[in-house]
Amino acid sequence: MRLVIVGPPGAGKGTQAELLSESLGIPHISTGDLFRANISQGTPIGVEAKKYLDSGNLVPPEITISMVRDRLGEPDAAKGFLLDGFPRSVEQAEALSGILTDLGVSLDGVLSIVVDEDAVVDRMLARGRADDTEDVIRNRMRVYADETAPLLEFYADDIIEIDGMGEVADVQQQILTKLGKA
Ligand code: ADP
């Protein structure tokens, strides 16, 4: 399957995507993880991306889109993939459509994890990632509302809504059921 998972910061996208990629046998492709790996390895992408991650702003589209294009072209993504953290704007969604057209494939669905945004701030503060400070979280929430939430309309016909406020295992079960894979 070819899936995208969207949701506000702290919605549990990464956790759910990791579990789902195991049960479906498809790679979990997280742009956040790819950027963090580049940063820790000190690559040119990492050097450029660091200031954006540190402030909670979006990494510029030309860097992000070419990184995703390269990753989706790798052999393991041929059988399917679960994209987490991309697209994060309508511009990126349009770029993804072009990449998928070039690869001759299409998306099977867009999982939208719905949470109470105030409630998930505590989850993020507990996680303790470098960009999980209150100011940066607030900015990521604002960027989500301005840039990413419009995707829900862009993908309206493909959205599979998931209630993300339950226990990890229950949310996962809900996803599998809605995908017809339970
Ligand atoms: P979260 O969903 O908790 O905000 P991510 O790991 O998905 O965490 O993203 C962390 C940061 O990585 C973002 O705040 C942003 O700076 C950068 N990033 C991730 N994906 C993208 C993307 N598609 N476009 C631009 N920047 C991105």
Side-chain angles (χ1 to χ4, degrees):
M1 296 193 96
R2 295 179 181 85
L3 300 167
V4 164
I5 187 164
V6 297
K13 292 187 300 290
T15 304
Q16 294 300 331
E18 202 49 55
L19 293 169
L20 189 58
S21 96
E22 272 170 43
S23 21
L24 299 181
I26 52 176
H28 168 210
I29 300 178
S30 157
T31 45
D33 288 350
L34 289 173
F35 284 130
R36 285 185 287 274
N38 275 281
I39 290 170
S40 64
Q41 290 159 22
T43 69
I45 288 179
V47 169
E48 180 59 22
K50 187 176 187 311
K51 55 181 175 284
Y52 299 97
L53 273 85
D54 286 347
S55 59
N57 291 317
L58 295 188
V59 177
E62 55 281 7
I63 300 173
T64 307
I65 291 165
S66 74
M67 183 178 77
V68 170
R69 182 186 288 279
D70 289 349
R71 181 63 188 88
L72 289 179
E74 283 177 28
D76 66 331
K79 59 184 176 192
F81 54 77
L82 177 50
L83 264 180
D84 161 16
F86 184 95
R88 233 178 173 93
S89 66
V90 171
E91 178 183 11
Q92 291 182 8
E94 285 166 346
L96 178 61
S97 300
I99 294 171
L100 297 180
T101 301
D102 291 347
L103 292 170
V105 299
S106 56
L107 287 180
D108 295 301
V110 175
L111 297 164
S112 166
I113 312 287
V114 181
V115 290
D116 171 350
E117 293 188 24
D118 293 329
V120 297
V121 172
D122 290 340
R123 283 192 195 172
M124 283 186 276
L125 290 172
R127 185 165 70 177
R129 214 170 66 191
D131 59 345
D132 284 339
T133 62
E134 239 171 304
D135 282 358
V136 177
I137 290 172
R138 207 170 296 124
N139 189 42
R140 279 158 51 213
M141 292 286 195
R142 192 162 43 227
V143 170
Y144 176 81
D146 293 349
E147 308 263 355
T148 311
L151 283 183
L152 300 179
E153 212 164 301
F154 183 90
Y155 283 128
D157 294 340
D158 305 304
I159 293 278
I160 302 164
E161 246 188 47
I162 305 295
D163 174 2
M165 290 307 292
E167 297 292 328
V168 169
D170 295 339
V171 175
Q172 182 64 201
Q173 198 52 46
Q174 202 193 132
I175 294 175
L176 290 169
T177 302
K178 291 196 171 168
L179 290 175
K181 302 282 181 185

